[in-house]
Amino acid sequence: ATKLGTYENVLLEREDGITWVTLNRPEKRNAMNPALHHDMVAVLNELDDDAETKVLVLTGAGDSWNAGQDLKEYFRELDNDSAGRRQASWDSHQWRWEHLLTFPKPTIAMVNGYVFGGAFTPLVACDIAIAAEDAIFGLSEINWGIFPGGLVTRVIADAMSYRDAMYYIMTGDTFTGKEAEAMRLVTRAVPRAKLREET
């Protein structure tokens, strides 16, 4: 078996043709910083050509799937670094949408916990999404007086009904994995204890 690369912010584990890709910043609820985006570009490039990867499962370490962009590291710390901002933005868009959406093997989002803001983009990019019934989803950007930016609003408009998308964008209310299944945002919601088995 070929050995997979090691990354600072992502864990890779291969088993029976399934490669488990785990966002690994549990202390930050797997919020995406520039370094994680850079790692994920490299991870998807590596797995694209990996003959032993038949299916890719994207999940998160700890109690969160993905808490969206790291506000401090992705936004504030790049305020006066236009080249750094451009690179982080490119990396972010490249892996979360362009590459994940067109990945040549089936992709499954195994949603084990919090899904906020920018996390909705890779969620929608995956072919299938299996969520823990008690996972918490939210579009909290309205708390800062803005709508979700980047591609988030666009992918939500595609994946959710107009009424559901508008309601959650405008209120910032959260919803559960079970409610996400009822809205058809995720393929299926299962009890947390059965999540990995079901995936």
Side-chain angles (χ1 to χ4, degrees):
T2 53
K3 188 163 168 30
L4 293 170
T6 54
Y7 300 91
E8 185 190 347
N9 300 285
V10 182
L11 296 174
L12 296 182
E13 176 194 352
R14 205 166 39 197
E15 182 189 346
D16 301 328
I18 302 165
T19 299
W20 303 83
V21 176
T22 304
L23 303 180
N24 190 33
R25 298 185 75 221
E27 73 289 354
K28 296 287 185 186
R29 297 209 160 138
N30 305 317
M32 299 174 288
N33 65 354
L36 182 142
H37 291 311
H38 185 76
D39 283 354
M40 279 302 299
V41 168
V43 164
L44 293 185
N45 284 336
E46 178 180 3
L47 298 180
D48 210 313
D49 291 324
D50 177 45
E52 292 168 62
T53 298
K54 309 292 187 201
V55 175
L56 183 154
V57 176
L58 181 65
T59 192
D63 65 355
S64 185
W65 189 69
N66 178 336
Q69 299 288 15
D70 184 312
L71 299 180
K72 179 172 171 272
E73 292 187 40
Y74 184 81
F75 292 108
R76 296 293 71 88
E77 289 181 3
L78 295 176
D79 277 348
N80 300 309
D81 177 1
S82 59
R85 163 61 54 83
R86 214 170 22 255
Q87 184 64 54
S89 178
W90 188 91
D91 288 345
S92 171
H93 182 73
Q94 184 62 28
W95 88 261
R96 290 186 310 140
W97 191 248
E98 298 291 340
H99 202 161
L100 196 57
L101 185 70
T102 60
F103 197 71
K105 300 146 190 195
T107 54
I108 303 173
M110 183 175 90
V111 182
N112 57 303
Y114 297 102
V115 180
F116 276 80
F120 280 76
T121 304
L123 175 73
V124 173
C126 286
D127 300 316
I128 294 170
I130 312 291
E133 289 174 342
D134 60 352
I136 302 292
F137 296 73
L139 296 156
S140 53
E141 288 86 344
I142 199 68
N143 295 318
W144 288 273
I146 57 172
F147 272 12
L151 262 181
V152 175
T153 298
R154 166 70 199 279
V155 304
I156 289 168
D158 285 344
M160 296 168 77
S161 77
Y162 173 78
R163 290 290 176 214
D164 287 334
M166 286 300 281
Y167 178 80
Y168 289 106
I169 285 170
M170 293 179 78
T171 63
D173 283 359
T174 59
F175 54 97
T176 65
K178 209 168 173 57
E179 291 168 314
E181 179 189 42
M183 286 184 261
R184 307 308 305 134
L185 176 62
V186 300
T187 314
R188 187 170 299 152
V190 298
R192 184 177 290 268
K194 293 207 160 96
L195 182 60
R196 188 171 168 115
E197 178 194 342
E198 184 68 24
T199 303

